[in-house]
Amino acid sequence: MSRIRAVFHDPDGSRYGIPTFWWRGAPPGYATRRQLRAAGLRPGGQPIAAQVLWRGVGGIRTAYLYRVDLARPKRTATPAQLRAIRAALTARRTCRVCGVVRPYCIPRSLGECLDCAYPQEVAA
Ligand SMILES: [Zn+2]
């Protein structure tokens, strides 16, 4: 784990007050507000559960995460709709180069997962 990742890795929230992950390190079960919306969900009044920090354009960027299990449906979805949503989300997390389902959405700008896009960092 590199120094940057270690700085942003605080799953207990002892350093940042809330659980903090580097941006590829967030465990499943958390989603950003945008990801929730894409899944037809909303935070449902829950507080921010965790955050992801990463070094991006213009400095350190933050994304707030909500717990998927506490999220409420934005509107009533039929089981078929829910299945379609899950399939779509899985598709967005599936790398078309290596075929691995990642815990993050494949960046559209890359069109492949980060391990495929930056293979030199895998061994780091
Ligand atoms: Zn890949």
Side-chain angles (χ1 to χ4, degrees):
M1 183 173 281
S2 76
R3 191 181 60 80
I4 297 298
R5 291 172 187 173
V7 164
F8 293 156
H9 189 71
D10 179 24
D12 306 327
S14 55
R15 192 182 309 144
Y16 294 102
I18 57 175
T20 299
F21 307 98
W22 57 285
W23 75 291
R24 287 169 64 188
Y30 290 104
T32 64
R33 187 181 285 271
R34 244 183 60 202
Q35 289 169 334
L36 287 179
R37 194 187 305 133
L41 300 170
R42 57 188 169 85
Q46 65 169 297
I48 292 164
Q51 66 181 350
V52 171
L53 297 180
W54 72 98
R55 197 169 292 276
V57 179
I60 293 172
R61 310 281 298 272
T62 307
Y64 294 120
L65 299 177
Y66 299 90
R67 281 175 53 176
V68 173
D69 59 338
L70 294 180
R72 302 272 175 73
K74 197 161 55 182
R75 55 189 126 67
T76 310
T78 66
Q81 282 175 320
L82 290 173
R83 272 197 303 278
I85 288 163
R86 279 193 205 102
L89 283 176
T90 300
R92 285 171 55 184
R93 293 192 291 113
T94 304
C95 175
R96 64 166 172 244
V97 176
C98 66
V100 173
V101 179
R102 299 294 175 179
Y104 54 88
C105 288
I106 305 302
R108 214 171 299 172
S109 57
L110 298 176
E112 58 190 2
C113 76
L114 296 170
D115 285 353
C116 289
Y118 306 109
Q120 72 280 6
E121 290 191 5
V122 174

